[in-house]
Amino acid sequence: PTPENSQDKSSQPSKPEAMTPNSWFLKTTISLHLNAAGDGTKWMNATGWSCYTCKGQTESDRLADCLYKAAEQILKNQVIRTDYARDGDPDWEENFYILRHSLCPAVLVEQFFMDNKKDLAYLISDEGKRNIIDVIVGGVGIFKSELSSLAP
């Protein structure tokens, strides 16, 4: 979100603001998606849950780390896709518009693959729906706790 009285900065990537325990909720962006590996004409083998941040180290990486912690606790029998090779943390990095232009820590979460039979069955199951919600709520809770521990 851009304040009404600010100049248009849409052509410039924004940097997340410093977070404080009192501002964590209103200044966090979590964009939820279902992943797909094909063109919709056949079932694919790609599987798993993943989280993206923009390139570079920002507060978004802290939020992603917290979501990964929750995913590891909750999605025990599911594939959790990670990308430690790029910068040493589990999230994937891309310059998606929503991640580059958010004025707060922002992540894009891919909730499994809708063109994988096993993932789709999990997505539409009561357990899958509940676990997906629990990962997001749990990850945000961990994020809030970590921010609170940094407060003076």
Side-chain angles (χ1 to χ4, degrees), residues 100-120:
R100 286 185 296 123
H101 293 279
S102 292
L103 298 177
C104 60
V107 296
L108 184 147
V109 180
E110 293 282 8
Q111 315 280 1
F112 302 96
F113 285 77
M114 62 184 158
D115 55 4
N116 174 297
K117 284 183 183 181
K118 183 179 173 188
D119 278 8
L120 182 59

Side-chain angles (χ1 to χ4, degrees), residues 59-75:
E59 284 293 314
S60 298
D61 290 284
R62 182 192 309 264
L63 176 57
D65 288 347
C66 294
L67 289 168
Y68 269 98
K69 287 177 188 173
E72 289 168 2
Q73 294 171 3
I74 295 163
L75 304 174

Side-chain angles (χ1 to χ4, degrees), residues 18-21 59 62 142-152:
M19 296 296 293
T20 63
E59 284 293 314
R62 182 192 309 264
I142 295 168
F143 185 63
K144 179 183 183 241
S145 294
E146 287 188 7
L147 291 176
S148 295
S149 70
L150 298 174

Side-chain angles (χ1 to χ4, degrees), residues 2-12 103:
T2 304
E4 293 174 356
N5 61 354
S6 69
Q7 296 178 1
D8 180 19
K9 298 178 184 175
S10 61
S11 63
Q12 301 172 3
L103 298 177

Side-chain angles (χ1 to χ4, degrees), residues 20-114:
T20 63
N22 293 330
S23 68
W24 71 273
F25 185 77
L26 296 176
K27 296 184 179 180
T28 302
T29 298
I30 301 174
S31 182
L32 302 176
H33 299 260
L34 298 178
N35 213 338
D39 63 6
T41 61
K42 62 182 177 180
W43 292 108
M44 305 301 290
N45 292 323
T47 185
W49 180 97
S50 60
C51 184
Y52 287 82
T53 62
C54 62
K55 294 181 179 183
Q57 290 293 315
T58 67
E59 284 293 314
S60 298
D61 290 284
R62 182 192 309 264
L63 176 57
D65 288 347
C66 294
L67 289 168
Y68 269 98
K69 287 177 188 173
E72 289 168 2
Q73 294 171 3
I74 295 163
L75 304 174
K76 293 183 183 199
N77 297 320
Q78 303 300 321
V79 173
I80 299 173
R81 297 165 55 95
T82 59
D83 184 26
Y84 285 99
R86 292 187 191 192
D87 65 354
D89 59 21
D91 62 83
W92 297 78
E93 296 191 348
E94 292 292 340
N95 280 327
F96 295 135
Y97 186 90
I98 193 166
L99 301 177
R100 286 185 296 123
H101 293 279
S102 292
L103 298 177
C104 60
V107 296
L108 184 147
V109 180
E110 293 282 8
Q111 315 280 1
F112 302 96
F113 285 77
M114 62 184 158

